[in-house]
Amino acid sequence: MLPPFTHPRTGQDRHPARPGHRPARRSRLRTAALGTVLLTVLTPALSACGGDSAAASDTPTLKWASSYFPSHWDPVVGGSGAQFRELALVYASLTRTDEKGDAVPDLAESWDYNARGDRITFHLRPHLKFSDGEPVNGAAVKAAVERAKKQKNSALFGDLTSIESVEAKGLDAVIHLNQVDYQIPQLLGERVLQIASPKAARNASALDRNPVGAGPFTVTQIVPGTKAVLRKNPDYWDAENIHIDNVELTSAPDASTVVSGLRTGVYNFADIDPSQAEAAKKAGLDVFVQPGFNASNISLNVNKAPFDNGKVVDAVRHAVDRQEFVDKLTFGYGETTDQPFPKGYVAYDPASADAYPYDPARSKKLLAEAGYQSGELKLNLVVPAEDPQAEIVQSQLAKVGIKVTIKIDKNWATPFFAKDLAFSLYSTTGRDSALQTLTAHFGPHGPLNLSSPYEPSGFEAAAAKVRRTPLDSPDYAEILRAATRAGLKSEALVFTYSQPNLIAKSRSVSDLPRNPAHIDWTGVTIGGH
């Protein structure tokens, strides 16, 4: 299915109408080829319109080749998947994430809860405006939340279920909750609430083509699916720490050609496959290992045969050799995981590690107890594109007597999110709120729970306890891990491996802040500028 953390089309982990997987590079070849032609034709035009004229001069220009070029520029439609990193060039949020993964001020300079924990007030910075001149205030936050909750094609409505209403009071946005929820500062960051100009958002389809935000850059031109040209936003609240004047964001060609493009100066920054990391190093490029919350899984639907039989579920669990995924797919940059988090992350539960170790003999025994002779159980593994993960699953299950046929469905997202599939794969980029990651996977309405409305016993109560616990509470980490433990009782997911995000860049681009899963341009310089 999905190459590791390269989700088809939008990079979302979401709803059928807004597919939740990041685009397989192989499926992008025709787009990339077209992009190459278009870029050749468009270069003079871009210079003439002023989009690239600054880039041609001696000004710091970021030339970013991206494997997940935005298919949507409206953040409500784009969702919280991989492309949020690119939309963050244009949009700012109430909070952002620091190197510890904690929420810190962005458009909001501070926030506070009421005594009960069911109301939070964000205090916005004064004198800010969107790139169309509209003010950044409480009314803009109210409009953003309401649009994310109610717009027909919103990919974010499921993330905002704790929010009852928003009250605008000048520069304050008062968020009324329907339950105690101390996760809100983590939640309303770059992934879930990138805030657009309310005026521009009145025409959502136009915003999807011409983004208007209050972020570090503004768009001067977009060639859909191919290229975006941006320039520094002088009105950004932290503009003095943004040292890049221009950005050329380009849809990446085939992975094998990205390194040569970096070496020759066509690009100076690109996200890369692990398979290209060694070539990038040999070419004298910096390979930046960006920590993240990525995890891949095998998704089972316990509402459909044969996974309505717990012995079959356990047989699959014991048939999975996670190390093979790491060895064949990550080129030394990944690690096994049996949870929706990498090891060492605050929500990772060591007590739940290796609950279902690789044991093909036990797998065969469980299948026999479930009434299946070797070769008798046949499964269709439905994925959106060719994927080595699917081939590994096919091979491993064959060793225990399960025959797997890989079925490619380009419209895979619709049946997956409608919970119509019985057997599939998924890769997620995680969330800034660890609880949001858990509920997305294990909650009864979780978009990544193929077995909805099924949820493991005890998970709802454990999740509620996390919400009621302030993030700075000394027992927060253990309460969070307890929720992970409760979620892992689910029979709907078998996690396989995790890997960080890899970025190759020219040495002229300075090191980036190591904010997990985020790309932060604060303080970054190019070519000594």
Side-chain angles (χ1 to χ4, degrees):
M1 192 195 82
L2 322 171
F5 317 112
T6 311
H7 292 222
R9 287 183 37 191
T10 64
Q12 300 169 203
D13 325 65
R14 292 283 172 221
H15 189 277
R18 35 271 176 200
H21 47 292
R22 297 185 344 194
R25 294 176 190 259
R26 194 172 301 180
S27 69
R28 302 178 64 99
L29 289 176
R30 281 179 295 202
T31 300
L34 175 61
T36 301
V37 174
L38 284 173
L39 292 180
T40 302
V41 173
L42 286 167
T43 298
L46 288 172
S47 298
C49 75
D52 270 352
S53 57
S57 63
D58 186 27
T59 57
T61 299
L62 177 73
K63 301 176 182 180
W64 180 356
S66 169
S67 66
Y68 46 88
F69 188 91
S71 54
H72 295 283
W73 288 89
D74 179 354
V76 163
V77 181
S80 64
Q83 67 181 12
F84 84 90
R85 301 182 183 101
E86 296 171 340
L87 269 62
L89 292 166
V90 180
Y91 298 105
S93 306
L94 289 172
T95 66
R96 56 180 175 174
T97 301
D98 67 8
E99 295 188 11
K100 295 179 181 178
D102 295 334
V104 296
D106 196 13
L107 292 178
E109 59 185 358
S110 63
W111 53 86
D112 48 71
Y113 274 91
N114 65 348
R116 289 184 56 187
D118 61 357
R119 186 180 70 235
I120 180 172
T121 301
F122 288 92
H123 308 287
L124 278 77
R125 300 175 189 275
H127 313 304
L128 299 185
K129 59 183 179 180
F130 295 98
S131 59
D132 62 357
E134 291 294 298
V136 176
N137 53 22
V141 176
K142 175 180 171 68
V145 172
E146 291 178 349
R147 197 166 68 90
K149 286 173 68 72
K150 298 176 182 178
Q151 187 167 299
K152 186 176 180 180
N153 60 349
S154 172
L156 303 175
F157 64 92
D159 295 317
L160 304 174
T161 55
S162 287
I163 297 178
E164 187 68 29
S165 63
V166 181
E167 184 181 0
K169 293 184 176 182
L171 290 177
D172 287 352
V174 184
I175 298 181
H176 299 269
L177 308 174
N178 53 34
Q179 59 185 327
V180 175
D181 191 345
Y182 287 102
Q183 296 282 309
I184 298 300
Q186 293 285 118
L187 182 67
L188 299 185
E190 285 183 2
R191 285 176 176 263
V192 174
L193 198 69
Q194 294 180 329
I195 300 175
S197 161
K199 179 180 178 181
R202 288 178 199 143
N203 186 338
S205 61
L207 180 71
D208 207 21
R209 299 187 301 272
N210 300 292
V212 181
F217 301 94
T218 60
V219 169
T220 60
Q221 186 180 28
I222 292 177
V223 181
T226 302
K227 184 173 182 178
V229 181
L230 305 92
R231 64 185 174 210
K232 180 178 175 178
N233 178 9
D235 295 320
Y236 176 55
W237 73 266
D238 197 25
E240 65 178 340
N241 290 313
I242 300 298
H243 308 305
I244 298 170
D245 287 344
N246 303 283
V247 178
E248 299 171 6
L249 179 66
T250 306
S251 179
D254 178 48
S256 63
T257 67
V258 170
V259 171
S260 62
L262 287 162
R263 188 175 59 246
T264 58
V266 176
Y267 321 116
N268 55 20
F269 187 90
D271 51 279
I272 59 170
D273 281 339
S275 61
Q276 298 299 308
E278 190 60 30
K281 290 179 179 179
K282 289 181 178 178
L285 300 165
D286 284 335
V287 175
F288 176 72
V289 180
Q290 182 198 41
F293 312 129
N294 305 322
S296 293
N297 69 65
I298 302 168
S299 295
L300 313 178
N301 192 333
V302 301
N303 302 312
K304 296 181 180 293
F307 301 116
D308 54 352
N309 185 327
K311 290 185 181 295
V312 174
V313 171
D314 285 349
V316 171
R317 285 167 158 167
H318 286 294
V320 173
D321 179 4
R322 294 172 175 82
Q323 191 61 47
E324 184 177 0
F325 289 86
V326 173
D327 293 344
K328 291 185 175 179
L329 302 179
T330 74
F331 293 81
Y333 288 95
E335 62 181 9
T336 63
T337 188
D338 46 15
Q339 304 183 28
F341 310 106
K343 294 169 185 174
Y345 181 51
V346 63
Y348 183 89
D349 180 43
S352 299
D354 208 27
Y356 295 92
Y358 177 51
D359 189 342
R362 178 160 176 73
S363 180
K364 291 177 182 178
K365 183 174 183 295
L366 286 164
L367 287 171
E369 292 174 358
Y372 293 100
Q373 300 301 315
S374 181
E376 187 177 356
L377 181 56
K378 298 178 174 61
L379 302 173
N380 288 331
L381 179 61
V382 183
V383 295
E386 292 182 18
D387 183 359
Q389 288 188 70
E391 296 170 8
I392 292 173
V393 171
Q394 182 184 51
S395 172
Q396 291 186 358
L397 294 189
K399 292 176 182 177
V400 300
I402 300 174
K403 180 176 175 57
V404 173
T405 300
I406 299 171
K407 300 279 189 180
I408 295 176
D409 180 358
K410 293 181 180 179
N411 297 316
W412 161 94
T414 298
F416 183 94
F417 291 105
K419 322 299 182 182
D420 289 337
L421 299 181
F423 188 36
S424 191
L425 301 178
Y426 205 92
S427 295
T428 178
T429 57
R431 306 288 193 275
D432 294 327
S433 163
L435 180 61
Q436 185 194 10
T437 298
L438 291 173
T439 56
H441 285 89
F442 305 126
H445 306 295
L448 312 186
N449 177 5
L450 189 57
S451 295
S452 294
Y454 158 80
E455 71 172 330
S457 175
F459 176 70
E460 186 175 354
K465 189 172 182 180
V466 175
R467 289 190 185 94
R468 293 194 300 268
T469 305
L471 299 179
D472 58 358
S473 173
D475 55 354
Y476 173 74
E478 181 47 45
I479 290 171
L480 180 59
R481 287 192 287 267
T484 300
R485 202 172 308 136
L488 290 172
K489 294 178 182 176
S490 172
E491 297 184 336
L493 298 115
V494 181
F495 293 93
T496 52
Y497 74 104
S498 175
Q499 71 178 36
N501 304 299
L502 296 181
I503 294 167
K505 63 182 182 65
S506 163
R507 295 187 184 278
S508 66
V509 179
S510 68
D511 288 343
L512 280 70
R514 294 180 60 82
N515 299 8
H518 292 255
I519 297 180
D520 184 353
W521 300 108
T522 304
V524 177
T525 61
I526 297 177
H529 290 277

